[in-house]
Amino acid sequence: MKLFKNFIYENSAFISIGSLLGTLLFTLSFHSLMFFDDPIRFLHGLITPHIVFPMLLAFVFILPFGYFIGLLPALISKGLFEHFYVAKIGSVSFSRATLYGLVIGLMWSPIILILDLAVGAGLKFFLYVEFVLILPVCLVCTWLEWSKAMT
């Protein structure tokens, strides 16, 4: 546990936690699609060992890939945070740090919207990536950076 805390406190939260949190949110959101399709079948699958263990094993194997895929957005978010807010974060309140996290998350909107229009995926893709993946990860990482700066 101490090794994990040292890893978080020595590196930026965007690098150490952001990619993992994004992978977790991505995985859980796709499981929620199965839940909305047939809730009873999904809940029955959660107590069935021959479904739960392969699902957990698949998550363990997917986690490193998700971490490496999420490193580029994490590096960009870390750069945005360091450029705009790292000097201010130590002297602000929790609500102001939350606002900084929201702004960093919303800075991704033009890039995601351009990608969405280029691919033609529709508005659901933009809303999913921005509000389910990027914004919560930026908020949590900003809160972690704020708590590191306050100590």
Side-chain angles (χ1 to χ4, degrees):
M1 188 68 177
K2 185 174 172 129
L3 181 67
F4 184 68
K5 282 186 178 182
N6 287 341
F7 179 70
I8 292 173
Y9 280 105
E10 289 174 3
N11 296 321
S12 172
F14 290 96
I15 302 298
S16 59
I17 298 294
S19 298
L20 297 175
L21 185 60
T23 304
L24 179 67
L25 287 173
F26 184 76
T27 307
L28 290 177
S29 64
F30 275 105
H31 281 89
S32 71
L33 292 175
M34 288 188 296
F35 177 76
F36 292 139
D37 185 41
D38 189 5
I40 299 300
R41 185 174 144 229
F42 178 76
L43 293 173
H44 184 271
L46 288 178
I47 59 171
T48 308
H50 72 275
I51 293 174
V52 172
F53 292 131
M55 190 168 51
L56 290 174
L57 187 64
F59 179 69
V60 168
F61 284 127
I62 290 169
L63 199 58
F65 294 111
Y67 182 81
F68 287 119
I69 290 170
L71 272 179
L72 181 64
L75 287 170
I76 294 170
S77 296
K78 176 186 173 229
L80 288 170
F81 178 78
E82 287 179 351
H83 181 72
F84 291 108
Y85 301 120
V86 78
K88 304 174 194 175
I89 198 75
S91 62
V92 298
S93 65
F94 179 76
S95 59
R96 182 61 59 109
T98 302
L99 180 67
Y100 291 166
L102 284 172
V103 170
I104 290 171
L106 292 175
M107 283 181 191
W108 278 94
S109 294
I111 298 168
I112 298 168
L113 192 59
I114 289 170
L115 286 173
D116 181 36
L117 293 173
V119 174
L123 187 62
K124 288 182 182 179
F125 174 77
F126 169 75
L127 294 173
Y128 172 75
V129 172
E130 178 65 34
F131 295 108
V132 174
L133 291 179
I134 298 222
L135 205 57
V137 171
C138 286
L139 277 172
V140 169
C141 291
T142 303
W143 290 336
L144 289 172
E145 289 292 328
W146 175 77
S147 69
K148 283 192 327 189
M150 296 306 282
T151 57

